[in-house]
């Protein structure tokens, strides 16, 4: 692998007043409770509370495991502290810890869709704390302990794990250990070290230091190769000063007595102590290619800049976001609990922690998607000395870590509800973070069963190359990159992509293709009466990748095509339509897939017909309904206007009415109606004011009166409403072609390539 240059990100800056305003503006704090069931009618209230609630009460009384089915317990974690070790601020008390615990709860929801509530317990007495928590088991699926000082944190966690039948996890211990272990796995890989022979020093014998030591020994470090140090020096066999049972368990057979002596010749060092704990001399004394994890917060034991002045063969990680290789607990706890909750684990054991660390390490070795690269402001990270740990905004974490944890829970016998179909579970996890992933999952699965050859027309673009490789890696088919071979390979090499000789990827140079003359003749026969000479067609095939790629699809040399990353949508569509006609009996339209608040709605026409006639609106409705069916939805089509069934009267609304009459004259097997406003089409209560409406429920296909209204509404929905919008998808062509928008990411291109392979448009 090729190393990236050092990556430096700007550290977020804000004033104290800005931080206070953030927490106080609007509704104070960072959490609210939102009902997941309707509460609009008396019947809703009767079902939610009395008398309807008695039914699940009796069911749970008869079978306690049903609480996971009928209550929030299966997706609820309590974040609990007594405030004795708040961040790097010390013992400030339970109440002062509440902003941190609320923040932790927010992170659970943001990264893994785990519901969470914070509980601050106002006692420093471990027994009182334990007795406060032990009886909360029926309320939660897991307990996340946080910001509790050592050694009390060991006592509390150990005792609660014995008393409770749900996971109890002190994140300051195990979260740090898991993330650091993942980074260390990769650092050992890069420096060609064997874990069993590596000499490691752990400086800091608090909760995180002890947990790191335990985890690494469980993973394969030899006990006497791990030297634990505290403020008094090395924890060695026979030492009595400042000892406790947790330190004694890791006392090493060594002659070293100081941190400096322990670090001499060491391969790696973990810092979980304080700023300045590592000196230049200590770093200089370490073995070649040393591994330094300086994880003290907010300031590390030694900074990367300070290390660089001493030696240049170091791999270094810190706890800070403005340096590479951040050891960030958010990479762990949301996803670990996600996996544990989903199998209803009784505990989080060592096997599950090791599985999480190994999955994180493996993820860092994979090529990163555009979402990650964007956070680096154009500098795409690649596995190497500056990138050994994934970053928190990697969208793959949600389906990578929980699956590993869940599988380990099942294998180790602590899962009460094993997962049978892990592939389906992985897809469900993706849908939690990305609703589009959930909707596309069925399409991806079908394409995997019937893989296709898809042409990626703009093959010299880095993100297109990445998309093509991802398409192949996901088992969706073969990828054909159109472009000059030398330019494609040069771009791939510069981006750190191993492309040459990769199975499943073909490179086609339009000018040098043996099919060149055939495509040119085919295009000439289509365009000769539209002002094109043969040499014009030859030039288009030689020089325009859209014409070449579309000809491949038209003549059966490929199954589908995706393009548009470098050109305007309408321009690309014109190029494609030089080569590929409308499907007989169909109309070419643009259709966008919108997902908002758990609802999926198709919107047409978002790309092609500027001011459609009544006939065109009717045909757009038919095309859109066909796509809804192919996506697995029973179409309910609303033809939209600013008016509702003739009120107010307007000339433009009459066109919608005429379109409905045209549809009435056809033998159609889907629901449709109009004209109606968007709120009536989407809101069951408002629709009830029009009992004559033919729609049996809220519309899932919206036919807009004009291109501009369709485009404006979907973009507003995306930007202001937080909706996910996929498309516009091309519908109605005789061959499968999809066009992405300018600025599309590699993930967008893969999605549209899958839609093309699925032939969503025809």
């Amino acid at each position: 692998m090729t190393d990236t240059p050092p990556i430096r990100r700007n550290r977020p800056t804000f004033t104290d007043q800005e931080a206070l305003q953030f927490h106080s503006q609007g509704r104070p704090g960072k959490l609210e409770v939102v009902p997941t069931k309707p509460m609009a009618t008396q019947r809703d209230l009767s079902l939610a509370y009395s008398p309807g609630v008695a039914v699940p009460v009796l069911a749970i009384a008869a079978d306690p495991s049903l609480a996971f089915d009928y209550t929030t317990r299966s997706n609820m974690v309590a974040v609990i502290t007594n405030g004795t070790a708040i961040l790097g601020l010390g013992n400030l008390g339970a109440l002062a810890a509440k902003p941190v615990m609320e923040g932790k709860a927010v992170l659970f929801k943001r990264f893994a869709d785990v519901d969470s509530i914070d509980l601050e317990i106002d006692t420093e007495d471990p027994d009182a704390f334990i007795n406060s928590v032990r009886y909360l088991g029926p309320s939660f699926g897991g307990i996340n302990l946080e910001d509790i000082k050592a050694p009390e944190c060991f006592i509390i966690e150990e005792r609660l794990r014995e008393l409770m039948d749900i996971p109890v996890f002190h994140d300051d211990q195990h979260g740090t250990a898991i993330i650091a272990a993942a980074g260390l796995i990769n650092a050992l890989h890069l420096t060609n070290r064997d874990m069993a022979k590596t000499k490691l020093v752990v400086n800091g014998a608090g909760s995180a230091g002890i947990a790191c030591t335990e985890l690494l020994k469980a993973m394969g470090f030899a006990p006497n190769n791990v030297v634990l140090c505290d403020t008094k020096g090395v924890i060695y066999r026979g030492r009595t000063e400042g000892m406790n049972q947790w330190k004694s368990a890791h006392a090493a057979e060594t002659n070293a007595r100081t941190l400096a002596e322990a670090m001499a010749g060491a391969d790696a060092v973990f810092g979980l102590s304080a700023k300045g704990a590592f000196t230049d001399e200590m770093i200089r004394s370490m073995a070649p290619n040393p591994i330094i994890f300086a994880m003290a917060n907010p300031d590390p034991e030694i900074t990367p800049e300070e290390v660089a002045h001493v030696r240049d063969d170091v791999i270094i990680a810190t706890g800070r976001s403005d340096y590479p290789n951040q050891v960030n607990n958010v990479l762990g706890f949301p996803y670990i609990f996600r996996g544990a909750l989903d199998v209803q684990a009784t505990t989080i054991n060592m096997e599950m922690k090791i599985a999480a660390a190994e999955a994180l390490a493996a993820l860092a070795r994979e090529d990163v998607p555009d979402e990650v690269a964007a956070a680096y402001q154009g500098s795409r990270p690649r596995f190497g000395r500056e990138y050994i740990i994934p970053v928190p905004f990697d969208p793959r974490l949600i389906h990578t870590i929980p699956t590993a944890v869940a599988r380990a829970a099942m294998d180790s016998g602590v899962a009460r509800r094993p997962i049978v179909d892990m592939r389906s579970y992985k897809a469900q996890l993706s849908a939690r973070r990305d609703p589009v992933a959930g909707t596309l999952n069925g399409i991806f699965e079908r394409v995997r069963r019937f893989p296709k050859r898809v042409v990626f027309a703009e093959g010299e673009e880095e993100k297109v190359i990445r998309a093509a490789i991802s398409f192949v890696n996901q088992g969706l088919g073969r990828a054909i990159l159109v472009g000059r071979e030398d330019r494609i390979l040069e771009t791939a090499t510069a981006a750190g992509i191993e492309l040459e000789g990769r199975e499943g990827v073909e490179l086609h140079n339009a000018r040098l293709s043996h099919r060149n003359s055939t495509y040119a003749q085919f295009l000439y026969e289509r365009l000769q009466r539209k002002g094109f000479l043969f040499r014009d067609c030859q030039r288009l095939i030689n020089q325009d990748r859209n014409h070449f790629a579309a000809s491949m699809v038209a003549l059966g040399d490929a199954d589908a095509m995706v393009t548009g990353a470098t050109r305007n949508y309408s321009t690309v569509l014109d190029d494609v339509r030089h080569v590929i006609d409308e499907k007989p009996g169909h109309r070419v339209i643009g259709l966008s897939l919108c997902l908002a608040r758990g609802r999926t709605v198709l919107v047409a026409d978002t790309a092609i017909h500027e001011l459609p006639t009544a006939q065109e609106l009717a045909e757009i409705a038919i095309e859109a309904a066909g796509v809804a069916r192919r996506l697995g939805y029973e179409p309910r089509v609303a033809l939209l206007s600013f008016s509702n069934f003739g009120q107010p009267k307007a000339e433009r609304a009459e066109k919608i009415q005429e379109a409905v009459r045209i549809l009435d004259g056809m033998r159609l097997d889907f629901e449709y109606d109009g004209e109606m406003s968007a709120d009536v089409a989407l809101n069951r209560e408002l629709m009830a004011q029009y009992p004559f409406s033919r729609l049996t429920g809220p519309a899932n296909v919206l036919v807009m009166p004009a291109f501009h209204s369709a485009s404006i509404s979907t973009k507003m929905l995306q930007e202001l409403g937080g909706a996910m919008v996929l498309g516009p998808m091309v519908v109605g062509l005789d061959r499968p072609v999809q066009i992405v928008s300018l600025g599309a990411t590699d993930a967008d291109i893969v999605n549209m390539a899958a839609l093309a392979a699925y032939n969503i448009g025809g």
Side-chain angles (χ1 to χ4, degrees), residues 7 137 170 229 238 258 365 419 473-474 493 554 574 577 613 743 755:
I7 299 168
H170 185 210
C229 300
T258 66
R365 295 193 292 270
I419 294 168
N473 288 345
Q474 293 185 56
T493 301
D574 287 343
R577 295 188 74 171
T613 64
L755 289 169

Side-chain angles (χ1 to χ4, degrees), residues 486-526:
D486 56 339
R487 293 292 293 274
I488 295 174
L489 294 173
E490 180 183 317
T491 300
T493 301
I497 302 170
E498 296 178 9
L499 183 60
E500 196 164 9
R502 183 182 287 266
E503 187 175 351
V505 180
E506 304 174 20
L507 310 186
H508 285 244
N509 187 323
R511 185 181 291 274
L512 303 179
S513 171
H514 71 280
R515 296 283 282 165
N516 180 294
S517 59
T518 301
Y519 295 161
Q521 183 61 42
F522 168 74
L523 190 61
Y524 179 55
E525 290 173 3
R526 290 179 53 82

